[in-house]
Structures are given as C-alpha cells and as structure tokens.
Amino acid sequence: MSTKDAITNKLREAFSPESLDVTDESHLHEGHAGHRPGGETHFRVYIVSPAFQGKSRIERHRMINATLAGELAGSVHALAIKAQAPGEADG
C-alpha cells in the first residue's frame, strides 16, 4: 500500500469525512530537505469532517497529526493541512 493510500484510509476511518483529498506533492520538493527518490515524502491534505466542529485550527491539526503519527515518524517529511467542519468549506 502506498503512503498516500495509508494516509487516506486512516483519515477516512478516524474522521468519516464529507470530503477528503490527499495529494502527493513530493515532486515539488526535489532537492529540498526530506525528499527521497520515489517521492511519498510531502503531502497536502484537504479534509471536511463533522469531527472538527467547534475545534480550533490547532486542535484539528493535532487530531490529524495524532492519527498519522506513524507516517510522520517514518516516511512523511511534510504534511500541509486544511481541515474544516461542514459549512466552513470554501466554495
């Protein structure tokens, strides 16, 4: 299973999102810290879930980081997060 698939599966299981997009942006970081041949080091997550209702931006990021602790301690060097509750999503 790819790192992208593992991230997607864990976020779906933990947050039952209404919307989820996980993008591997490793190719944009060639030559930078943390990049490895083959990619799967830099990701961007857009997620909309009721689990984030009433939570601050920092709380939401902590929830996601805790869910993905294994990946962040291993192969993932960077994770950009945009986490929203339903109704907050940009049009």
Side-chain angles (χ1 to χ4, degrees):
M1 175 183 305
S2 72
T3 302
K4 177 181 175 180
D5 290 340
I7 290 170
T8 300
N9 291 341
K10 284 186 175 187
L11 292 176
R12 279 193 181 132
E13 185 176 313
F15 301 110
S16 301
E18 291 182 3
S19 177
L20 175 62
D21 182 50
V22 178
T23 304
D24 184 349
E25 295 186 337
S26 302
H27 65 284
L28 300 174
H29 299 274
E30 287 184 33
H32 297 138
H35 183 269
R36 287 185 301 280
E40 296 206 316
T41 57
H42 295 71
F43 291 88
R44 182 169 300 277
V45 171
Y46 294 100
I47 184 170
V48 178
S49 171
F52 301 132
Q53 194 70 43
K55 305 280 193 236
S56 71
R57 181 174 169 235
I58 291 173
E59 289 172 313
R60 295 170 188 193
H61 284 225
R62 286 180 178 156
M63 292 166 68
I64 291 169
N65 288 340
T67 300
L68 302 177
E71 288 74 17
L72 293 170
S75 63
V76 175
H77 176 73
L79 182 67
I81 301 169
K82 175 109 181 204
Q84 298 175 307
E88 296 176 346
D90 299 330

